[in-house]
Amino acid sequence: MRRCVLALWGVVAACSAIAAQNVETDPMQCWWRTSAGAIRVGEPFSLVLTCAVVENDAAKVVVDQSKLEPSVIQLAPFEVTGGSHGADLRTDERRFFQYEYRLRLIAENLFGRDVPLPETKLSYHVQSQTSQRSAIQGRDQSYVLPSQSIRVMSMVPTDASDIRDTTTETFADVDERSFRANLLIVIGGVLFALAGLMALLAIVRLVNRFRKPAAATDRLVSDSAILSAASRELNAVKRAREDGGWTPELAGRALGALRVAAAYALGQNVGQSTVGSLQLTDGSHHAQAGNIIVQTGWPKGKRIAVSGSITPQAVARERARADAGGRRAAMLESLEQALTCFTAAQYGRGTDLDAAALDESLAAGSRAVRRVKLEQLSLMKRFTRRRVATEVENRAWSR
């Protein structure tokens, strides 16, 4: 009895070993999966092929997958419209690869039938690893993919002459598309015309900039920069006066700055011209008597000489003609007195300068320049023009 039991256990162990050997040596397995068990003619559906091959330290199955690419495989009578190849997955003993195909069936004689996929064979061979870490390649073998059938249902009536669906667009849809296309063409033409106009204007401005020479009356620097330079010049004159007292040259510098400010106060133009580099020993910013220098541009800036030609008599005439009141009258009066005082100091015959009068004129002139600078702001210009127009209208009605 004991011998019989041992013999039975031996048979069971042998069968298990044989079964395990068959499982381990099964090199390749594949199966299909469809997105739908039954389809209609012309209906797109997905077909997925998944395969598992042996891949471990002892053996490796190499499959010729070139025939499975979506652009190569033929599955007649199904039409392959596209597909993809996913990334491989691996375990300790297996490697899994997968292909997804997008198919459709267009035929007139397959309604109500099971349509099988065509027989497809894959070539592969097994590479075995030896103890010397060298690979032994086995002979080429073939694997037949499992069969798969798909049910085809009818989607058209029995008296239909064509299985293909006709377009659902109407005349209204066509007209709407035509209107939209014409509208886009018109908008594109307008935009192109505007772009051409802007390019033409840019070219004209560029040509004029290079063809037209710079004149003395050209606008080379902004009004605010000029008035700021005039204010700085008066401040520099004040510091120089505190260091060494009044001189005719120092009075001339203050007179040049005040003339520029008076020109803006009277609404007249100032002279502007480009000058070269100046080598001044006293550190001042004037080029010659009656001019102030404005630095503009970056990094290689230009030096612009600015001058005004306003006299105290011109300021007095403007004050009398405009009959101004309030702050503007005070500003014009300060400019007139300052111009009179500094003109006498520079061009007078006497050698003694009235320092107190000059100091008072310098302070009044500095306040007047700040007032002129404020009036040159865009908002203040609008307010001033409106106020002048109102005064003119009131005088006309009073007459």
Side-chain angles (χ1 to χ4, degrees):
M1 186 65 179
R2 183 176 181 181
R3 292 180 179 178
C4 292
V5 172
L6 292 176
L8 181 59
W9 274 109
V11 172
V12 171
C15 293
S16 299
I18 294 174
Q21 184 178 5
N22 291 336
V23 172
E24 293 177 357
T25 57
D26 190 6
M28 182 175 180
Q29 290 181 343
C30 294
W31 58 92
W32 297 101
R33 188 181 77 250
T34 59
S35 59
I39 62 170
R40 299 180 183 274
V41 173
E43 175 186 359
F45 66 99
S46 298
L47 177 67
V48 179
L49 173 64
T50 306
C51 292
V53 296
V54 173
E55 186 171 308
N56 51 38
D57 297 337
K60 178 180 179 181
V61 175
V62 181
V63 183
D64 182 10
Q65 300 179 211
S66 60
K67 298 180 180 180
L68 298 177
E69 294 296 329
S71 59
V72 177
I73 192 170
Q74 300 292 329
L75 299 174
F78 298 94
E79 178 185 2
V80 181
T81 60
S84 61
H85 178 202
D88 295 350
L89 299 179
R90 288 178 171 82
T91 63
D92 295 339
E93 299 293 333
R94 296 278 181 172
R95 178 175 66 90
F96 297 85
F97 61 88
Q98 190 177 78
Y99 288 87
E100 180 182 2
Y101 308 102
R102 292 186 293 274
L103 309 179
R104 66 177 180 179
L105 176 65
I106 298 178
E108 300 180 356
N109 56 349
L110 299 177
F111 297 127
R113 297 176 55 183
D114 294 338
V115 181
L117 296 174
E119 181 180 287
T120 304
K121 293 183 179 181
L122 296 180
S123 299
Y124 71 94
H125 62 270
V126 180
Q127 289 183 352
S128 301
Q129 300 291 336
T130 63
S131 58
Q132 290 79 16
R133 297 184 180 274
S134 60
I136 300 177
Q137 180 173 331
R139 60 183 180 84
D140 291 338
Q141 303 182 49
S142 296
Y143 179 84
V144 180
L145 295 181
S147 60
Q148 178 76 20
S149 297
I150 301 174
R151 184 71 174 180
V152 180
M153 301 182 297
S154 175
M155 64 177 299
V156 295
T158 57
D159 56 351
S161 60
D162 193 352
I163 64 172
R164 298 178 183 270
D165 291 334
T166 58
T167 179
T168 58
E169 293 184 350
T170 61
F171 289 168
D173 297 331
V174 176
D175 184 67
E176 182 180 357
R177 287 189 179 183
S178 178
F179 173 77
R180 189 184 307 166
N182 294 334
L183 179 62
L184 292 177
I185 291 175
V186 172
I187 294 176
V190 172
L191 293 178
F192 271 111
L194 291 177
L197 180 61
M198 295 300 294
L200 181 61
L201 292 177
I203 293 174
V204 170
R205 291 186 62 182
L206 185 63
V207 171
N208 291 336
R209 178 179 297 179
F210 284 97
R211 289 182 58 184
K212 184 178 179 182
T217 58
D218 287 341
R219 185 185 178 90
L220 302 178
V221 66
S222 65
D223 298 337
S224 61
I226 293 176
L227 291 173
S228 298
S231 180
R232 290 194 298 270
E233 182 73 3
L234 292 178
N235 293 333
V237 169
K238 182 179 179 181
R239 291 192 297 270
R241 180 259 180 277
E242 294 174 352
D243 293 338
W246 284 105
T247 62
E249 292 77 10
L250 198 60
R253 290 176 56 185
L255 179 61
L258 290 175
R259 282 178 175 176
V260 171
Y264 279 101
L266 272 59
Q268 297 185 12
N269 294 328
V270 295
Q272 303 181 32
S273 60
T274 305
V275 297
S277 301
L278 302 177
Q279 299 293 334
L280 303 178
T281 58
D282 58 354
S284 62
H285 297 280
H286 66 286
Q288 58 184 3
N291 290 352
I292 61 174
I293 297 299
V294 181
Q295 189 81 17
T296 181
W298 187 88
K300 295 182 179 180
K302 295 182 179 180
R303 303 171 68 86
I304 310 299
V306 182
S307 61
S309 59
I310 303 301
T311 62
Q313 292 77 13
V315 178
R317 287 193 300 268
E318 173 66 19
R319 184 162 62 91
R321 182 185 65 83
D323 192 17
R327 295 183 178 180
R328 180 167 175 80
M331 177 194 68
L332 292 176
E333 184 178 359
S334 299
L335 284 174
E336 179 185 357
Q337 294 177 358
L339 288 173
T340 301
C341 184
F342 282 110
T343 301
Q346 184 180 15
Y347 299 106
R349 295 181 180 180
T351 57
D352 296 334
L353 300 180
D354 190 351
L358 291 176
D359 291 341
E360 184 179 355
S361 298
L362 180 62
S366 299
R367 291 193 297 269
V369 170
R370 289 194 294 269
R371 177 65 184 178
V372 173
K373 186 177 180 182
L374 179 62
E375 288 185 352
Q376 292 303 311
L377 298 177
S378 59
L379 183 60
M380 294 299 296
K381 285 184 178 180
R382 295 179 184 177
F383 177 75
T384 303
R385 286 195 296 266
R386 183 176 301 177
R387 185 185 62 184
V388 171
T390 303
E391 293 177 355
V392 172
E393 185 179 356
N394 292 336
R395 287 196 298 266
W397 279 104
S398 63
R399 292 177 184 176

